[in-house]
Amino acid sequence: MDVLQLDVSGRPQAWISPHEAANLYVCDAVAWTVGEPCLVLRGGIQRVSGVQSRLELHPIIAVRGTVPTRAWRQVPALSNPKLFARDRRVCAYCGQHTHDDHLTREHIVPTSRGGEDTWMNCITACRGCNGRKGNRLVQECRMELLYLPYIPSLHEDMILKGRRIVADQMEFLLASVPRHSRLYG
C-alpha cells in the first residue's frame, strides 16, 4: 500500500512508498496525518531498555515545507491507463465496455488534421470504432460521441493513477472530486 502525501494545506502531492513515508516521519517532516495507522514498522531493540522501536504509518500524511512536485500542474499528465479509467473503459462511439487490451486512445480531431494530444481531444475507443473512424472527423464518418471528454481534477488524477487506495484515502480524495465526474457513476 502506498501513502498519500499532501502539502500542509491539504493538496495532494504524490503517492509514496511506506519506506519514503517512514523517512519523513523520522526526519520530523510530517505536519499532520489522516486516518488510523495502517502499517507498523518495527526496528531494533534498544540495549538499555529492551524496547523495540516502532513506527506507525498513516494512510495520508501532510509534509511540512515546500515539496517539489509535478502535482502543481493545472492539467494532469495524459496516459492511456488514466484515460481508460476516466472513461470507465467504455468506447465513446459504440458504448461497449472493453478490457484495456482492446481499447485505444482516440483523437476526436485527428493529429494528422491538427488535433492535439490533450484530455479534451482524447476519448477511449475500441479498436473497431477507432479503425472505422480513421483520420476523419466525427461528422465525416457519421459517428456520434456518447460522452464528452473532460480534464480530470488533481484529486481525480490521484485516483486515476491506478493505485490500491484504502478507504481513508478514497474518502479524502472523493471529497474534492466534482459531482459530475465519471468516477461517481
Side-chain angles (χ1 to χ4, degrees):
M1 181 207 80
D2 286 336
V3 174
L4 178 60
Q5 177 186 315
L6 312 174
D7 65 13
V8 288
S9 69
R11 186 175 174 138
Q13 297 290 302
W15 291 104
I16 60 174
S17 70
H19 180 264
E20 292 170 303
N23 284 336
L24 292 169
Y25 276 92
V26 171
C27 294
D28 197 31
V30 177
W32 48 271
T33 63
V34 175
E36 294 298 315
C38 59
L39 184 62
V40 176
L41 303 177
R42 299 184 195 305
I45 297 175
Q46 190 179 45
R47 190 173 3 164
V48 175
S49 68
V51 176
Q52 184 178 27
S53 63
R54 173 186 161 109
L55 183 61
E56 294 182 338
L57 302 181
H58 293 78
I60 304 170
I61 61 171
V63 178
R64 289 184 175 89
T66 58
V67 179
T69 180
R70 291 181 295 274
W72 290 104
R73 289 184 295 206
Q74 295 294 348
V75 178
L78 175 63
S79 70
N80 282 354
K82 290 195 298 184
L83 176 69
F84 299 161
R86 179 200 72 178
D87 295 346
R88 304 189 75 180
R89 292 167 177 75
V90 172
C91 175
Y93 296 118
C94 70
Q96 182 179 347
H97 187 273
T98 311
H99 188 270
D100 287 10
D101 295 342
H102 303 288
L103 294 175
T104 61
R105 180 186 303 190
E106 164 61 17
H107 294 86
I108 299 167
V109 177
T111 54
S112 64
R113 297 179 74 172
E116 296 182 4
D117 196 35
T118 63
W119 284 105
M120 291 303 291
N121 190 45
C122 292
I123 46 93
T124 299
C126 66
R127 292 190 185 281
C129 289
N130 194 340
R132 192 166 34 259
K133 180 177 172 284
N135 72 339
R136 299 177 291 175
L137 298 175
V138 178
Q139 310 86 286
E140 294 171 351
C141 57
R142 298 181 188 193
M143 296 173 86
E144 291 184 28
L145 289 174
L146 299 176
Y147 57 81
L148 296 174
Y150 69 94
I151 300 170
S153 70
L154 174 62
H155 290 79
E156 284 175 293
D157 185 50
M158 297 303 284
I159 295 169
L160 293 174
K161 287 183 179 178
R163 307 285 183 170
R164 286 184 38 202
I165 301 174
V166 298
D168 288 336
Q169 294 167 334
M170 184 61 87
E171 183 181 334
F172 179 86
L173 291 169
L174 279 177
S176 297
V177 170
R179 279 288 184 217
H180 66 272
S181 170
R182 287 191 200 114
L183 296 181
Y184 281 110

